[in-house]
Amino acid sequence: MSDTQNRLASMTGLLAELVSRPSRTGEDNCDATLHCIAAWLTQRGVATHWLHDGDGQVLGLWGEISGARPGPLYVLNAPADTAPFGERTAWRHPPERATVSDGWLYGRGAADSKAGIAVFCHVIAELPPQRDTLRGKLGFVFDAEEHSGSFAGIRRYLETHAHETISGVMIGYPGNDKVVVGARGFLRACVHVHGVAAHSGSSSVGGINAIERAQELLRLINGSPPPDTDPPFPLPPKVTATGIRGGGSYTLIPDHCALDIDMRLTPAFDAAAAQRWLSRLTATLDAHSAAPATTITWQPGWPAYRLSADHPMVTALTAAAREAFGHEIPPAVVGPSSIANLLATQGIPATAGLGVNYRNIHAPDECVELASLEATYQTYLRAARRLLK
């Protein structure tokens, strides 16, 4: 077989092993997946190190390849944990092990993001013989706590490398229609709308229905969209009501209703602007009501971010992708936030996706197209060489 065929077989084999290791967030211990990665890299002469919290719980795996001369530190990152299976009966192929069919590999985590890990491992293993031609370092971090939302692995890595300047992080999320160089941020709020309780069947005391007041607040939100005052940023802000809780007794007019509000931020509609906007709407709601004042509990979020088109990591990735995939893959800003937004708060530039072809991410029959592994591998290998020359 050719080198390309051998490499594809190797990437497919490693991906299959990783998919067959349990690593569902909140349900499985991710150690087996990380041990599989560590063993594969160790066999190829690449040292790995474990990330732990204060109680000794494993948070992830890291390592680095050093060039012969000083230079920048760039990092490859991908989550080792996965989403849950969901309803097993909805899967045509078993979620807990890899199945190859018609050129696609099925199983939970195949796309998000064990294919990225399989690709990155092969990039990492390719570089040690080329140390004399490289300057700086290529690091890697595989986080066991990404899907939990804590990002404890990458956070711990940043703590242990606080003495170093990280020039950029490339995250191995799937998809190759764009190089993700920015994203909206987010801020979340639980809005507590109050009323006055009363018997629902009373003919003399009406009470004030908190659910109806919450409904009125939603009308205010929908009728007063956030200002879109940031033309250079390609996506507008977005506000979505994602939860409602209140009442519970047929005979009681509810005196409390909680609304969960998800706000997607832009550089102009940032956290401070979002807080002012929502607070103004709740003040409008309360202005002519005898009910207790509405209160808001804010959940911490992340700001929007966007890398410049001439950032070295962006130019390296887009040039390498054009060569590897055979066509232009443009840089783009996306709606959902990711770990790249967290990194932006630390002043660390990050790309949040260029990877394999995929289907059904976080859904039944999640899968990746095996033929896209090679072009993804070539993209990151060529980008790493450019960045470390």
Side-chain angles (χ1 to χ4, degrees):
M1 290 196 298
S2 67
D3 289 345
T4 299
Q5 290 171 321
N6 283 329
R7 186 165 49 246
L8 178 58
S10 178
M11 287 192 286
T12 300
L14 178 56
L15 174 56
E17 285 192 49
L18 294 174
V19 169
S20 299
R21 301 298 197 280
S23 53
R24 293 167 296 171
T25 187
E27 299 184 55
D28 298 317
N29 185 306
C30 203
D31 292 9
T33 298
L34 296 172
H35 277 292
C36 180
I37 299 166
W40 193 94
L41 289 170
T42 300
Q43 289 170 7
R44 288 152 182 83
V46 178
T48 59
H49 312 278
W50 295 86
L51 296 162
H52 300 89
D53 66 11
D55 297 323
Q57 178 183 342
V58 173
L59 302 178
L61 194 71
W62 75 275
E64 59 191 25
I65 305 297
S66 297
R69 292 167 291 154
L73 168 61
Y74 286 95
V75 178
L76 302 175
N77 169 245
D81 62 335
T82 72
F85 293 155
E87 180 55 58
R88 283 175 175 266
T89 58
W91 288 73
R92 185 164 53 98
H93 300 288
E96 71 275 7
R97 66 174 184 269
T99 302
V100 176
S101 176
D102 295 327
W104 292 77
L105 187 147
Y106 293 79
R108 175 57 84 224
D112 187 15
S113 288
K114 291 181 176 180
I117 294 176
V119 167
F120 285 170
C121 282
H122 283 76
V123 172
I124 292 159
E126 182 72 18
L127 289 180
Q130 304 173 29
R131 281 191 173 102
D132 289 345
T133 67
L134 305 178
R135 64 181 185 89
K137 293 184 288 188
L138 181 69
F140 58 89
V141 184
F142 302 129
D143 194 334
E145 290 287 341
E146 195 261 14
H147 285 83
S148 70
S150 73
F151 303 108
I154 190 70
R155 289 179 189 272
R156 183 62 180 149
Y157 174 81
L158 296 177
E159 290 172 3
T160 60
H161 288 72
H163 60 289
E164 294 188 88
T165 298
I166 299 175
S167 297
V169 175
M170 294 173 279
I171 305 171
Y173 292 140
N176 49 62
D177 59 326
K178 55 187 170 291
V179 178
V180 177
V181 300
R184 286 186 298 211
F186 72 89
L187 180 68
R188 287 160 185 160
C190 182
V191 183
H192 301 275
V193 181
H194 301 283
V196 177
H199 195 296
S200 60
S202 174
S203 59
S204 59
V205 180
I208 300 176
N209 193 313
I211 293 177
E212 293 176 357
R213 295 193 72 230
Q215 186 179 28
E216 176 59 27
L217 178 59
L218 290 176
R219 282 195 289 267
L220 289 170
I221 288 172
N222 291 330
S224 305
D228 184 10
T229 57
D230 197 18
F233 198 76
L235 295 175
K238 184 180 181 182
V239 177
T240 306
T242 58
I244 183 168
R245 298 172 300 280
S249 171
Y250 285 110
T251 62
L252 182 67
I253 291 175
D255 59 1
H256 175 258
C257 184
L259 292 175
D260 295 330
I261 305 295
D262 177 84
M263 292 182 281
R264 296 293 160 157
L265 309 177
T266 66
F269 188 71
D270 59 9
Q275 289 177 334
R276 290 193 300 270
W277 175 83
L278 187 57
S279 296
R280 176 175 58 80
L281 294 182
T282 60
T284 299
L285 177 73
D286 293 339
H288 304 291
S289 175
T294 302
T295 58
I296 304 174
T297 302
W298 299 101
Q299 304 293 329
W302 294 332
Y305 89 100
R306 185 186 192 184
L307 302 185
S308 65
D310 60 354
H311 188 279
M313 197 164 55
V314 176
T315 58
L317 267 177
T318 52
R322 181 175 60 249
E323 296 167 2
F325 285 91
H327 57 84
E328 292 288 343
I329 299 181
V333 172
V334 298
S337 59
S338 73
I339 195 171
N341 294 73
L342 168 64
L343 293 168
T345 67
Q346 306 295 313
I348 300 171
T351 59
L354 182 133
V356 295
N357 295 335
Y358 70 96
R359 295 193 299 236
N360 305 325
I361 197 167
H362 286 205
D365 289 322
E366 177 181 352
C367 59
V368 298
E369 187 178 27
L370 294 173
S372 63
L373 288 167
E374 175 66 16
T376 306
Y377 163 83
Q378 290 292 344
T379 297
Y380 281 102
L381 179 63
R382 295 178 188 195
R385 286 171 172 164
R386 281 182 167 92
L387 292 167
L388 300 179
K389 273 193 173 183

